[in-house]
Amino acid sequence: MPVTHALPWGYDPERAARMEQENQERTTTELLDGLHASNTTAWNDFDRRYRPILVGFLHRMGLGHADAADVAQETLARFVRDYRRNMYDRRQGRLRTWLIAIARHRIADLRRAAARRGLQAGTSVLATLSDGVDAEAAWDAEQRGHIFNQAIRELRAAGRFQERTIEAFERVMLRQEPVEQVADDLGLTPQEIYNAKHRVVQRLRSIVQRYEIDLGGGDP
């Protein structure tokens, strides 16, 4: 069954946040059971959960946008096929390790195809790929970034914080802008900035932990 990728047209952040929160309630085991049963909801959840990380991981491995999208699609489809054939044993490795292995084999296929076409190393995007890249570290870095971005998006959609509170957090914590300048721009006092930062960090920590459990807790 092909894995589809929803396009961002008419994107509704509040609806997306609700969907993401609902996804957390589905453990990896439930998702895999659903994949075996050809459950459409499970397929969509699995795709939404892993495709963005996989595409970003492939970028880190040196692929361009088009190749990364193609390899991500083929990797997910291959995993599905292997899983249905009972080739994936969770006792022998983590789900992400299986996905990484499939993706790296596909990258090797691209290299061989490029070599058969006689592409020069200097003109092929595949020449930027490094065999020395730590794939597990690249996946971890991409997953952390993905989780943080999702957490910020959920925080905004939930409406528990004013926009300027979140903006203050982003500017001070992420962009490292001076507190005094941010406070002046947003009409806040430096103490209000520090208080806002503390509240946002506490809430983000809770959201991030939930996403980490979702992506890793059921993945031994």
Side-chain angles (χ1 to χ4, degrees):
M1 176 178 180
V3 182
T4 58
H5 179 41
L7 294 174
W9 310 121
Y11 173 68
D12 180 345
E14 292 189 6
R15 180 174 180 274
R18 289 196 301 271
M19 292 174 65
E20 292 293 346
Q21 187 166 356
E22 290 170 1
N23 286 345
Q24 314 310 315
E25 299 171 2
R26 299 178 59 83
T27 66
T28 302
T29 298
E30 289 173 328
L31 278 181
L32 293 177
D33 288 345
L35 295 182
H36 241 320
S38 300
N39 182 287
T40 301
T41 299
W43 281 106
N44 291 336
D45 286 351
F46 183 78
D47 178 65
R48 184 163 47 244
R49 187 173 297 188
Y50 288 101
R51 182 187 293 269
I53 298 172
L54 187 54
V55 169
F57 162 75
L58 291 165
H59 285 154
R60 290 175 183 270
M61 296 296 289
L63 291 185
H65 179 73
D67 284 333
D70 288 345
V71 171
Q73 173 69 26
E74 293 164 8
T75 298
L76 292 171
R78 176 61 183 270
F79 174 82
V80 168
R81 185 169 67 249
D82 288 352
Y83 185 68
R84 282 185 169 179
R85 294 174 178 174
N86 296 316
M87 296 173 64
Y88 169 60
D89 186 347
R90 298 180 67 192
R91 295 170 299 181
Q92 297 180 6
R94 305 175 71 182
L95 189 153
R96 72 171 188 179
T97 301
W98 193 272
L99 291 173
I100 289 171
I102 295 173
R104 297 198 74 171
H105 277 101
R106 188 65 192 96
I107 291 172
D109 290 342
L110 286 177
R111 278 178 161 167
R112 286 191 289 269
R116 286 196 296 271
R117 293 195 302 269
L119 294 178
Q120 296 297 318
T123 62
S124 174
V125 67
L126 296 180
T128 65
L129 297 176
S130 171
D131 290 329
V133 172
D134 185 335
E136 291 279 344
W139 182 281
D140 284 342
E142 186 59 36
Q143 180 170 301
R144 284 194 300 270
H146 174 73
I147 286 174
F148 184 79
N149 290 335
Q150 292 291 92
I152 286 287
R153 189 172 72 179
E154 180 177 321
L155 193 70
R156 273 198 163 91
R160 294 181 59 179
F161 294 92
Q162 294 182 359
E163 177 57 32
R164 70 174 181 171
T165 300
I166 299 176
E167 182 181 348
F169 167 80
E170 291 177 324
R171 291 179 60 178
V172 171
M173 293 295 292
L174 306 184
R175 303 176 200 166
Q176 299 294 303
E177 296 182 28
V179 171
E180 293 76 11
Q181 180 62 55
V182 175
D184 186 58
D185 290 347
L186 299 180
L188 299 169
T189 67
Q191 186 59 51
E192 286 174 326
I193 293 285
Y194 288 121
N195 292 343
K197 181 180 70 174
H198 176 73
R199 294 198 309 273
V200 171
V201 166
Q202 289 295 103
R203 180 57 184 154
L204 272 179
R205 184 177 291 123
S206 173
I207 297 173
V208 165
Q209 183 179 35
R210 173 158 47 81
Y211 278 110
E212 287 176 340
I213 292 172
D214 183 47
L215 283 167
D219 189 9

